[in-house]
Amino acid sequence: MEIQLSMLILEVRDLATSVAFYRDLGLDVPDPVPGRPVVIHRMGSGVSLLLTTSFAATYDPAWTRPAGGYQQLLEFYVGEDSVVDQRWADLVAAGHPSRMPPTQTTGPYAAMVDDPDGNVVLLTSDEAARVDTDDA
């Protein structure tokens, strides 16, 4: 069996704030269930995005929240260059810090913003990141 990435788990400080950000990004993230510190959104690619406020702290006694910088980029293929422009503008207008305005890099056309916990979200029109290539 081929090993596959099935879920990306983000430890967040405030579940409602993170849900709002990823909804602003364009994901159909469900409402949290009262009393549960987690929400899961399964994307069309089959990969799930899980937002939680307590998994690592509960099960890894050595876990600490990173104090600065970032260790990963979450790349979201959003479509055409104009969609990258619009999503970036909407997120920045909503108060999310921009790390890079829409730019033609040496690779894809891309922009970067921070989510509420400082995770860097890369918005691209890079066809290599597209998963629904059968939909023509």
Side-chain angles (χ1 to χ4, degrees), residues 5-53:
L5 178 65
S6 64
M7 184 176 295
L8 175 63
I9 301 170
L10 296 180
E11 286 283 343
V12 302
R13 288 176 180 84
D14 182 296
L15 193 57
T17 300
S18 293
V19 166
F21 171 84
Y22 285 98
R23 285 178 177 167
D24 286 348
L25 177 63
L27 299 179
D28 188 21
V29 179
D31 289 329
V33 174
R36 294 200 63 216
V38 63
V39 295
I40 301 172
H41 169 68
R42 188 167 176 93
M43 293 178 272
S45 64
V47 174
S48 293
L49 175 65
L50 185 142
L51 306 173
T52 183
T53 58

Side-chain angles (χ1 to χ4, degrees), residues 33-94:
V33 174
R36 294 200 63 216
V38 63
V39 295
I40 301 172
H41 169 68
R42 188 167 176 93
M43 293 178 272
S45 64
V47 174
S48 293
L49 175 65
L50 185 142
L51 306 173
T52 183
T53 58
S54 67
F55 186 86
T58 300
Y59 297 103
D60 181 358
W63 181 79
T64 59
R65 189 174 299 280
Y70 58 92
Q71 298 180 38
Q72 71 281 327
L73 293 156
L74 308 174
E75 182 176 353
F76 288 89
Y77 170 80
V78 297
E80 304 292 323
D81 293 356
S82 62
V83 180
V84 171
D85 294 340
Q86 189 61 56
R87 291 280 169 93
W88 175 84
D90 290 347
L91 291 167
V92 171

